[in-house]
Every structure is written in C-alpha cells, then in structure tokens.
C-alpha cells in the first residue's frame, strides 16, 4: 500500500467519524466558556466566583458544531432551490 493511499484512507475515516459525531450530537460545548455558560472570575482574595454570561453561546454552554452548521446551510439552500 502506498503512502498516498494510506493518507487518503485515513482522511476518509476521520471525515466519516466527524460526520457521525455531528449526526449523533449536533451541539458541542462552547469553546469560550467550556460549556459552563458563564466565565469564571477570581475575587481579590483569589476565590473563584461566577462572572458574566457568555455572549458567544447566550449562556447555554452549547454551540452548534461547524459540520452541522454547514449541513444545515446546504440543506436550506437545497430546499430553497428545489421549490
């Protein structure tokens, strides 16, 4: 097996795994707040306390995955063109 064929097979397998993840779980944790929905701050004594709500995920802690966002966009354009 050549190196190019091995690389193509590996890339195809990774792509299929990502498609499966996007299908099974379309929402992932927010990268900014790490799924908490808010940022953690420290007070002057060094203790952790709740900060402001996360603006990126609107305090839900979840964001749509990039692959699912692309699929939703493609499906919307396809439906609009089919009718």
């Amino acid at each position: 097996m050549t190196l190019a064929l091995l690389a193509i097979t590996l890339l195809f397998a990774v792509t299929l795994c990502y498609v499966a993840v996007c299908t099974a779980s379309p929402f992932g944790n927010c990268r900014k707040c790490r799924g908490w929905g808010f940022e953690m701050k420290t007070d002057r004594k060094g203790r952790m306390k709740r900060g402001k709500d996360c603006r990126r995920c609107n305090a839900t802690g979840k964001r749509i995955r990039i692959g699912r966002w692309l699929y939703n966009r493609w499906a919307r354009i396809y439906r609009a063109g089919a009718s």
Side-chain angles (χ1 to χ4, degrees), residues 4-75:
L5 186 59
L6 181 64
I8 291 171
T9 305
L10 184 64
L11 186 63
F12 185 69
V14 168
T15 303
L16 283 180
C17 288
Y18 185 69
V19 167
V21 167
C22 287
T23 303
S25 175
F27 295 98
N29 287 338
C30 177
R31 292 183 301 274
K32 186 174 182 183
C33 64
R34 297 185 187 111
W36 285 46
F38 51 88
E39 290 190 57
M40 293 297 292
K41 289 187 171 184
T42 56
D43 60 3
R44 291 187 290 175
K45 294 181 181 179
R47 292 183 299 213
M48 298 299 287
K49 66 179 222 173
R50 188 183 195 281
K52 292 182 180 179
D53 288 343
C54 180
R55 293 181 356 183
R56 182 179 283 181
C57 64
N58 293 326
T60 61
K62 298 291 182 184
R63 286 184 43 95
I64 194 159
R65 294 185 194 273
I66 295 171
R68 186 61 185 214
W69 182 84
L70 288 171
Y71 172 75
N72 289 347
R73 178 65 54 107
W74 174 81

